């Protein structure tokens, strides 16, 4: 399994394969009223099943905490992470 880095590009965080320097996945979000709306999480098929989508969601959670924002997860992957990880409750918009 290669190593990966994460690149915050403002409205998405890109997962980069450190060996090939190629994009291996991404999580996309929009911002509205101090809320990050996660609309898509994707990992290239050859890297799926290694917890990378979960790591991408975690990076958005870190960003929200750093920037004092909430998260509204529309993407099914992000919704699942918020359901199984009570430690993310502090950044989840409570009106969702």
């Amino acid at each position: 399994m290669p190593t990966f880095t994460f690149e915050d590009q403002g409205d998405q965080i890109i997962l980069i394969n450190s060996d090939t320097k190629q994009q291996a996945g991404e999580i996309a979000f929009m911002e509205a009223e101090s809320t990050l709306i996660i609309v898509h999480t994707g990992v290239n098929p050859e890297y799926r099943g290694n917890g990378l989508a979960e790591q991408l969601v975690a990076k958005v959670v870190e960003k929200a905490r750093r920037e004092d924002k909430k998260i509204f997860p529309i993407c099914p992957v992000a919704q699942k992470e918020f359901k199984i990880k009570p430690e993310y409750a502090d950044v989840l918009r409570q009106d969702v």
Side-chain angles (χ1 to χ4, degrees):
M1 177 80 168
T3 57
F4 295 92
T5 58
F6 299 88
E7 183 180 306
D8 189 337
Q9 296 186 339
D11 62 350
Q12 63 181 347
I13 296 174
I14 303 296
L15 177 69
I16 305 289
N17 179 322
S18 298
D19 300 330
T20 66
K21 308 296 184 217
Q22 299 294 312
Q23 181 173 327
E26 72 285 329
I27 186 165
F29 45 89
M30 301 179 298
E31 186 173 349
E33 300 176 19
S34 297
T35 300
L36 301 176
I37 304 164
I38 300 176
V39 295
H40 168 76
T41 305
V43 174
N44 293 3
E46 64 266 31
Y47 302 121
R48 290 183 187 155
N50 293 299
L52 296 170
E54 292 85 353
Q55 290 179 47
L56 285 163
V57 173
K59 291 296 181 185
V60 178
V61 169
E62 290 172 17
K63 178 181 179 77
R65 287 178 177 147
R66 239 185 358 262
E67 298 177 4
D68 195 29
K69 296 180 178 171
K70 297 294 184 181
I71 295 176
F72 181 71
I74 293 174
C75 164
V77 172
Q79 287 177 350
K80 176 183 158 234
E81 285 297 291
F82 275 86
K83 283 182 184 169
I84 65 173
K85 294 196 172 149
E87 63 268 28
Y88 290 172
D90 64 311
V91 294
L92 180 63
R93 270 196 43 185
Q94 295 304 315
D95 60 340
V96 296

